[in-house]
């Protein structure tokens, strides 16, 4: 068995390696190529379904662990209510429709356990993939854009629903006592994770005394312990992995070593997961194809439509609602685990045709999600803007405060750099307005800024709210290419300062009309040269330099940016 698993791993990674090189050559995401690699690897006779399912379980368990680590409860709180509304709306509207369709397939094809198979089908339709969504929205989440936060909150909600379903469906005989016992174990695991998050992990960090490797080993030990405990009480290892991820702090510098260490091996498990998804795809029969096509249509059309309408009802602008909803249109990895659990139970509780259809739909929706990213702006411009023409958003109006301004400066982004710019403008008593998209910063904007607009800088209305036609300067501190391109396309006579991470992009922005483009790496190099020159010329001394830098970092800590390192 061990030798066969090694052979399977070799085939999996050779296939993934070759196709990822092709993806890298064309500067494409490797994820679709991993799925294609799985389709290739699954055709080898030595690669059995049992081995692939084992790899899939471990790959999903580790990735769920990583997702749970990255959950920031404080950040989610700002949009969780709106996300709950969207998630509950989807649950109320989509789940019954999906269940009815799944039950009809059971009747049509004569499945043994029609209700269970209808639940498996419904779970595949309703639950969205936090893993795929996290990859697709990686930059949006890092930049704290509101549609990234909304999608992350829905993913979190879906994952909680999925864990509850996993606990219920893992019972061989569905009775009240059996379900209560399973849910009790699940709640106990999550509570244990929260206790460790609150008290245990900080103790581990103190005992490690700055040794990052010890902290990482401790975190992996927590993961293995929770997985072993889940196995012992008869729960899915994914439940144990999720609880272990909750136990690891992600909201401070103490977790930095853990995240750096885990990030270095995450790609390994990402490859395993997506390759196994492709490898589990079997040549579909007409029966499987009909179920898979119906499932895919519900996931790609019905789910995003319900989410978009829910977000718009909550007051978000059409673009934010569309971008958030369009990232929630793939079958969840939890739906795969639920289906695998049904396949492994004795006797099997999921029909083989339903299992194959869910796998096929998962591979198809994940591939289409990445392909859809290339045309989502075109879809938004040609379809969504026509449906919601002339809309003004309640969220922007309710969360903004702007006086009558002229010859003012629009500061885009209230991160570390944006705050410093605002401080200088306050000292000079120059009129300004801050345009920020992160709802987590709303209270700080209200307390610290004279004028602010909380809205998406890529949308039109927030710029009107910021009175862009009367502005003298736009200073963008955000390194997000769509934001920079939107600013350069504005109808304004204001000078424009942008930010870019590369000299190549900076050159393109300058050609497009930017007055100045800040490149942090270049500026940091110039600052370092200036410090060396000042020390060499005797204009400063090491003690003064150290004191000034300590004061600077203390100011960052007061603002919270010593830990929120992405908000720059």
């Amino acid at each position: 068995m061990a030798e066969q698993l090694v052979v399977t791993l070799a085939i999996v990674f050779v296939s993934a390696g070759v196709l990822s090189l092709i993806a890298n050559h064309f500067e494409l995401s490797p994820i679709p190529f991993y799925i294609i690699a799985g389709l290739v690897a699954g055709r080898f006779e030595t690669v059995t379904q049992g081995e692939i399912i084992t790899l899939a379980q471990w790959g999903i368990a580790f990735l769920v662990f990583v997702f749970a680590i990255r959950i920031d409860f404080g950040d989610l709180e700002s949009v969780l209510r709106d996300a709950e509304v969207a998630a509950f709306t989807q649950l109320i509207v989509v789940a019954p429709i999906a269940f009815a369709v799944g039950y009809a397939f059971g009747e049509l094809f004569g499945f043994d356990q029609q209700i269970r198979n209808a639940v498996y089908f419904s779970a595949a339709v309703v639950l969205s993939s936090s893993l795929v969504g996290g990859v697709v929205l990686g930059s949006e989440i890092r930049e704290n854009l509101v549609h990234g936060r909304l999608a992350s909150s829905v993913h979190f909600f879906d994952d909680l629903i999925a864990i509850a379903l996993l606990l219920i469906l893992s019972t061989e005989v569905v009775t009240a006592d059996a379900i209560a016992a399973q849910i009790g174990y699940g709640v106990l695991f999550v509570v244990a994770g929260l206790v460790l998050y609150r008290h245990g992990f900080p103790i581990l960090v103190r005992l490690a005394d700055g040794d990052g490797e010890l902290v990482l080993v401790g975190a992996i030990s927590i993961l293995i312990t929770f997985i072993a405990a889940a196995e012992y009480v008869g729960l899915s290892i994914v439940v144990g992995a999720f609880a272990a991820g909750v136990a690891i702090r992600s909201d401070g510098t103490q977790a930095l070593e853990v995240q750096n260490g885990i990030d270095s091996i995450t790609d390994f498990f990402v490859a395993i997961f997506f390759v196994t998804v492709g490898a589990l795809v079997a040549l579909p029969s007409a029966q499987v194809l009909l179920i898979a096509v119906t499932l895919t249509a519900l996931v790609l059309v019905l789910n995003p439509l319900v989410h978009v309408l829910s977000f718009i009802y909550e007051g978000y602008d059409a673009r934010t609602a569309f971008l958030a909803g369009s990232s929630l249109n793939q079958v969840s990895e939890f739906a795969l685990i639920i289906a695998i659990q049904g396949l492994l139970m004795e006797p099997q509780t999921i029909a083989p045709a339903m299992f194959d259809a869910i796998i096929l739909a998962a591979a198809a929706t994940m591939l289409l999600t990445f392909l859809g990213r290339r045309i989502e702006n075109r879809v938004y411009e040609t379809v969504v803007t026509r449906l919601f023409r002339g809309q003004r958003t309640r969220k922007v109006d309710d969360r903004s405060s702007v006086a009558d301004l002229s010859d003012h400066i629009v500061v885009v982004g209230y991160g570390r750099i944006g705050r410093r710019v605002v401080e200088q403008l306050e000292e000079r008593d120059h009129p300004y307005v801050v345009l920020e998209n992160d709802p987590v910063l709303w209270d700080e904007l209200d307390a610290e800024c004279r004028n602010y607009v909380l809205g998406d800088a890529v949308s039109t209305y927030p710029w009107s709210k910021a009175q862009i036609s009367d502005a003298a300067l736009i200073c963008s501190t955000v390194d997000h290419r769509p934001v920079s391109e939107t600013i350069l396309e504005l109808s304004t006579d204001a000078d424009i300062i942008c930010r870019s991470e590369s000299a190549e992009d900076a050159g393109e922005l300058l050609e497009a009309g930017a007055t100045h483009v800040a490149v942090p790496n270049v500026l940091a190099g110039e600052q370092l040269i200036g410090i060396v020159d000042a020390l060499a010329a005797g204009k400063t001394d090491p003690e003064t330099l150290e004191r000034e830098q300590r004061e600077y970092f203390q100011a960052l800590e007061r603002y919270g940016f010593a830990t929120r390192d992405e908000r720059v």
Side-chain angles (χ1 to χ4, degrees):
M1 178 64 182
E3 292 178 358
Q4 292 178 346
L5 192 59
V6 170
V7 172
T8 300
L9 276 172
I11 293 172
V12 163
F13 279 101
V14 169
S15 304
V18 171
L19 287 173
S20 63
L21 286 175
I22 296 174
N24 183 66
H25 176 74
F26 291 101
E27 297 182 348
L28 299 172
S29 169
I31 305 300
F33 288 84
Y34 288 151
I35 296 176
I36 296 171
L39 294 172
V40 174
R43 308 287 76 84
F44 285 82
E45 293 183 1
T46 55
V47 178
T48 66
Q49 187 185 63
E51 292 163 354
I52 290 298
I53 285 176
T54 299
L55 289 176
Q57 285 181 296
W58 280 96
I60 293 173
F62 183 85
L63 294 172
V64 167
F65 169 69
V66 173
F67 170 75
I69 286 179
R70 292 173 178 169
I71 293 172
D72 190 324
F73 297 102
D75 287 356
L76 285 177
E77 185 180 357
S78 61
V79 290
L80 191 56
R81 190 191 66 83
D82 296 340
E84 284 176 351
V85 170
F88 271 120
T89 302
Q90 185 211 22
L91 204 59
I92 294 170
V93 174
V94 178
I97 296 173
F99 182 87
V101 173
Y103 191 85
F105 279 130
E107 284 278 355
L108 179 64
F109 300 123
F111 295 159
D112 289 336
Q113 300 191 39
Q114 294 176 5
I115 292 179
R116 279 215 184 214
N117 279 278
V119 172
Y120 291 132
F121 183 88
S122 182
V125 172
V126 172
L127 302 176
S128 55
S129 174
S130 54
L131 172 59
V132 176
V135 173
V136 169
L137 292 172
S139 62
E140 284 89 341
I141 294 172
R142 286 192 298 272
E143 295 292 342
N144 307 300
L145 302 185
V146 68
H147 65 269
R149 290 200 181 280
L150 286 171
S152 294
S153 298
V154 172
H155 286 145
F156 179 63
F157 183 90
D158 283 353
D159 287 351
L160 293 180
I161 297 295
I163 289 174
L165 273 176
L166 189 59
L167 293 171
I168 294 171
L169 294 174
S170 59
T171 57
E172 295 182 3
V173 180
V174 180
T175 63
D177 290 342
I179 292 174
Q182 290 290 91
I183 292 179
Y185 279 130
V187 171
L188 186 62
F189 270 69
V190 174
V191 169
L194 290 171
V195 170
L196 279 175
Y197 170 86
R198 183 85 176 182
H199 304 290
F201 191 70
I203 293 174
L204 171 64
V205 173
R206 286 199 299 270
L207 292 175
D209 195 24
D211 191 324
E213 291 185 4
L214 284 178
V215 176
L216 177 60
V217 169
I220 298 298
S221 299
I222 291 172
L223 170 62
I224 299 301
T225 300
F226 271 82
I227 286 178
E231 281 277 333
Y232 180 77
V233 299
L235 297 181
S236 168
I237 61 173
V238 176
V239 176
F242 181 83
V246 170
I248 309 300
R249 278 189 174 272
S250 62
D251 54 353
T253 53
Q254 58 188 349
L256 186 60
E257 293 291 346
V258 175
Q259 295 204 37
N260 288 340
I262 288 177
D263 285 346
S264 65
I265 57 177
T266 295
D267 290 344
F268 172 81
F269 286 95
V270 167
I272 284 181
F273 169 69
F274 285 108
V275 172
T276 53
V277 169
L280 285 172
V281 174
L283 187 64
S285 62
Q287 185 182 94
V288 170
L289 193 60
L290 177 60
I291 299 173
V293 168
T294 305
L295 173 55
T296 301
L298 290 173
V299 170
L300 293 179
V301 179
L302 186 58
N303 269 352
L305 179 62
V306 172
H307 279 128
V308 168
L309 293 176
S310 298
F311 290 136
I312 288 177
Y313 173 79
E314 284 299 305
Y316 288 98
D317 64 276
R319 184 178 182 277
T320 296
F322 171 72
L323 292 178
S326 64
S327 64
L328 298 165
N329 57 351
Q330 62 286 132
V331 175
S332 170
E333 59 274 7
F334 270 106
L336 299 183
I337 278 292
I338 290 171
I340 288 171
Q341 188 81 21
L343 189 70
L344 296 178
M345 292 181 71
E346 293 292 343
Q348 289 183 6
T349 58
I350 186 171
M354 182 64 74
F355 178 82
D356 290 342
I358 290 174
I359 296 297
L360 180 58
T365 54
M366 288 175 182
L367 281 171
L368 291 172
T369 295
F370 287 96
L371 295 175
R373 290 286 285 180
R374 294 178 167 273
I375 62 170
E376 65 180 7
N377 286 330
R378 194 180 311 162
V379 172
Y380 172 75
E381 294 294 338
T382 57
V383 178
V384 179
T385 53
R386 294 180 181 180
L387 293 175
F388 301 100
R389 185 176 299 169
Q391 180 198 16
R392 296 294 180 265
T393 81
R394 188 174 69 253
K395 288 291 183 184
V396 175
D397 291 332
D398 291 347
R399 297 181 176 183
S400 302
S401 176
V402 187
D404 290 332
L405 299 171
S406 62
D407 293 327
H408 57 288
I409 296 176
V410 181
V411 180
V412 183
Y414 196 57
R416 174 169 55 85
I417 299 173
R419 288 172 186 267
R420 295 298 298 273
V421 172
V422 168
E423 285 179 358
Q424 295 299 315
L425 294 174
E426 291 274 6
E427 289 181 7
R428 289 164 174 74
D429 198 28
H430 194 288
Y432 70 89
V433 58
V434 175
L435 177 54
E436 172 58 57
N437 192 41
D438 187 358
V440 171
L441 299 179
W442 181 25
D443 290 337
E444 297 175 38
L445 288 168
D446 191 48
E448 300 170 4
C449 299
R450 298 180 185 178
N451 302 287
Y452 62 88
V453 176
L454 194 66
D456 185 358
V458 184
S459 298
T460 303
Y461 184 56
W463 288 105
S464 300
K465 194 80 175 174
Q467 303 171 35
I468 187 62
S469 59
D470 297 321
L473 173 68
I474 302 172
C475 177
S476 174
T477 66
V478 178
D479 177 27
H480 190 56
R481 187 63 181 262
V483 171
S484 300
E485 291 175 348
T486 299
I487 294 172
L488 292 170
E489 292 172 0
L490 292 172
S491 299
T492 178
D493 295 327
D495 293 324
I496 297 173
I497 297 176
C498 295
R499 179 184 168 189
S500 172
E501 286 297 320
S502 70
E504 181 181 357
D505 286 346
E508 293 175 358
L509 294 174
L510 287 170
E511 290 180 3
T515 306
H516 176 78
V517 180
V519 183
N521 291 336
V522 174
L523 295 175
E526 292 176 353
Q527 184 184 33
L528 181 60
I529 292 171
I531 291 171
V532 172
D533 286 342
L535 286 170
K539 296 178 180 178
T540 187
D541 57 81
E543 291 76 15
T544 301
L545 186 62
E546 180 182 358
R547 186 185 69 255
E548 291 175 348
Q549 193 169 31
R550 283 183 181 277
E551 291 174 353
Y552 175 71
F553 287 132
Q554 286 170 0
L556 289 184
E557 183 64 46
R558 287 196 303 274
Y559 288 142
F561 291 105
T563 56
R564 287 181 288 174
D565 58 330
E566 295 294 347
R567 295 185 192 146
V568 296

